[in-house]
């Protein structure tokens, strides 16, 4: 488990070296981010020694940002834990501001956030602090404590930071992650294929396409944010693995087919975002082919259609296909929806100015009896919009009160 531990400026910060040790004893990797005022209570040197990682304190630290930017750090985290959490950080989180590294990271992460408040008992009881506490909890943050007892200021009451061992035990409990990663797809499994495939010609050459995998990776991440267990079967891409997602790397269409079918029994929603090579060389030369002739021809054979094969299964998951086309996008997409017997198809135009390898995309989504158009937007944003629609359609066709999958009756342009 990768934990970003945010330390803010309360006296309980002196207990954080022990918290780090307790977290590491339970197998967590801990990256510390301190606010400026936390440094008044505990030194970065001690924390670096116990965490084994350089401490991050400043959003504008060029060297640290170059090795792992705050966005990469936000993606790296399986959990952001803020301990101690002062009244000030709670107010900043509630207000959505991002004046420093820790607050920026909290806005940028899709990981669950847990806070262990610690402050004087009168501060803790203040209505403004309590309102912020309630708001943060409503937004899904886990509030750990505070404890009741003697306080550093000499008073007695509620506001002590929970014992480091109790905090570590709580966040490292497997059920804790389950409880915080909640959402409409909690308990469901989503399998996403992404990226291109590579079909070898000989040991050094292959056939592939321009797919970057960005759309599929963004969808896997968005499905995880909705609480699903996500399996991402990925062709060769240059992307960072999304947080909390089980990634299986493959190269060829046949490997992608095998990996998909090996996991499909437990899958509730199958999203085929991969650009699978339709054809592969009939033979793969064992040695590098030499240029002895002026022309050469390759015999190609059809690759297995992964999506169609999943949609044809007896106990079929909710299936979503993609239709990346350079022309007649809608016609071809409707044809695929019907021929492959899909629940939904995402149609997008690809070409030299859009689609593959771009960060933005605009799509039209079609299903039996409905459609929705999404304007040009970032693939990461579009992925969340698409997942909202997929959840809506999945729930209405496969929800507990409905019949099994709707059959596609007739689809006409
Ligand atoms: O048939 P076509 O390749 O145009 O269909 C595109 C859709 O089918 C995409 O969702 C793609 O991931 C999926 N597909 C597949 N296996 C193939 C070819 C396409 O899963 N061999």
């Amino acid at each position: 488990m990768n934990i970003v531990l945010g330390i803010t400026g309360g006296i309980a910060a002196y207990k954080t070296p022990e918290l780090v040790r307790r977290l590491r004893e339970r197998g967590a990797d801990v990256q510390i981010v301190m606010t400026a005022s936390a440094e008044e209570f505990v030194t970065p040197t001690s924390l670096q020694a116990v965490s084994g990682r350089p401490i991050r304190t400043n959003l504008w630290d060029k060297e640290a940002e170059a090795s792992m930017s705050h966005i990469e750090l936000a993606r790296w985290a399986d959990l952001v834990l803020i301990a101690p959490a002062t009244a000030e950080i709670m107010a900043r989180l509630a207000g959505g501001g991002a004046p420093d590294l820790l607050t920026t990271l909290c806005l940028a992460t899709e990981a669950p956030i847990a806070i262990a408040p610690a402050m004087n008992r009168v501060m803790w009881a203040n209505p403004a602090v309590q309102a912020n506490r309630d708001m943060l909890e409503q937004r899904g943050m886990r509030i750990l404590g505070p404890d009741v007892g003697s306080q550093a200021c000499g008073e007695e009451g509620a506001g002590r930071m929970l014992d480091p061992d109790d905090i570590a035990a709580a966040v490292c409990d497997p059920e804790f992650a389950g409880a915080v990663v909640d959402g409409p797809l909690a308990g469901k499994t989503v399998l996403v294929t992404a990226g291109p495939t590579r079909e070898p010609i000989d040991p050094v050459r292959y056939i592939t396409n321009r797919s970057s995998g960005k759309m599929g990776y963004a969808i896997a991440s968005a499905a995880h944010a909705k609480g699903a267990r996500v399996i991402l079967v990925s062709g060769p891409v240059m992307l960072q693995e999304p947080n909390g997602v089980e990634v299986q790397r493959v190269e060829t269409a046949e490997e992608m087919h095998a990996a998909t079918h090996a996991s499909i029994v437990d899958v509730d929603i199958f999203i085929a975002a991969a650009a699978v090579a339709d054809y592969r060389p009939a033979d793969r030369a064992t040695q590098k082919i030499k240029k002895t002739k002026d022309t050469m021809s390759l015999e190609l054979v059809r690759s297995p259609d992964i999506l169609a094969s999943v949609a044809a299964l007896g106990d079929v998951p909710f299936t979503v296909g993609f239709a990346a086309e350079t022309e007649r996008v809608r016609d071809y997409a409707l044809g695929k929806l019907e021929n492959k017997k899909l629940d939904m198809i995402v149609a997008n135009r690809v070409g030299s100015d859009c689609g593959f390898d771009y960060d933005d995309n605009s799509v039209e989504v079609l299903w039996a009896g409905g459609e929705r158009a999404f304007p040009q937007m970032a693939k990461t944003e579009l992925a969340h919009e698409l997942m909202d629609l997929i959840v809506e359609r999945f729930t209405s066709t496969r929800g507990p009160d409905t019949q099994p999958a709707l059959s596609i009756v007739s689809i006409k342009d």
Side-chain angles (χ1 to χ4, degrees), residues 193-195 197 253 256-257 260 270-279 302-310 320-325 332 336 340 342 344-346:
T193 63
T197 63
M256 189 173 272
H257 181 269
T260 299
F270 175 57
I271 304 171
V276 185
D278 292 325
Y279 293 92
R302 281 286 290 270
S303 299
D305 191 316
I306 304 163
L307 178 56
S309 67
V310 169
V320 183
F322 273 71
E325 299 291 348
Y332 286 136
K336 284 172 205 183
K340 300 198 191 200
L342 309 179
M344 187 182 261
I345 190 127
V346 183

Side-chain angles (χ1 to χ4, degrees), residues 71-261:
I71 298 294
E72 283 167 323
L73 196 53
R75 291 193 192 122
W76 174 85
D78 295 314
L79 173 77
V80 176
L81 167 65
I82 304 179
T86 56
E88 172 64 15
I89 188 80
M90 290 174 68
R92 285 189 188 178
L93 293 174
D100 57 19
L101 178 59
L102 182 57
T103 44
T104 306
L105 209 142
C106 287
L107 288 185
T109 192
E110 286 184 322
I113 301 175
I115 63 170
M119 65 199 75
N120 165 271
R121 67 174 179 89
V122 185
M123 287 176 81
W124 176 247
N126 186 292
V129 175
Q130 286 302 309
N132 288 336
R133 183 218 168 276
D134 293 347
M135 183 188 288
L136 296 177
E137 191 171 48
Q138 272 164 25
R139 289 191 198 143
M141 281 188 203
R142 282 290 295 268
I143 318 288
L144 302 166
D147 215 349
V148 179
S150 66
Q151 300 205 285
C153 51
E155 296 189 11
E156 192 78 27
R160 271 170 68 93
M161 188 173 85
L162 279 189
D163 187 71
D165 201 37
D166 293 339
I167 296 176
V171 301
C172 294
D173 183 333
E175 279 187 16
F176 181 84
V180 286
V181 181
D182 207 355
L185 292 180
K188 304 287 178 211
T189 301
V190 175
L191 194 152
V192 183
T193 63
T197 63
R198 256 181 208 169
E199 311 300 331
I201 298 168
D202 67 16
V204 294
R205 304 180 179 99
Y206 53 77
I207 297 175
T208 191
N209 58 63
R210 292 182 185 277
S211 167
S212 63
K214 285 177 187 166
M215 194 70 241
Y217 272 55
I219 285 178
S221 194
H224 172 65
K226 295 216 170 297
R229 170 187 173 216
V230 183
I231 303 165
L232 175 61
V233 179
S234 170
V237 296
M238 303 286 287
L239 301 173
Q240 194 179 331
E241 295 188 356
N243 243 325
V245 167
E246 298 163 37
V247 182
Q248 295 180 20
R249 294 195 171 270
V250 296
E251 205 160 298
T252 64
E254 284 180 301
E255 286 168 11
M256 189 173 272
H257 181 269
T260 299
H261 280 276

Side-chain angles (χ1 to χ4, degrees), residues 268-270 316-320 343-344 390 393-394 397-398:
D268 300 284
I269 300 175
F270 175 57
V316 56
F318 185 90
T319 47
V320 183
D343 290 291
M344 187 182 261
I390 290 169
R393 298 295 310 147
F394 170 71
T397 60
R398 310 288 171 98

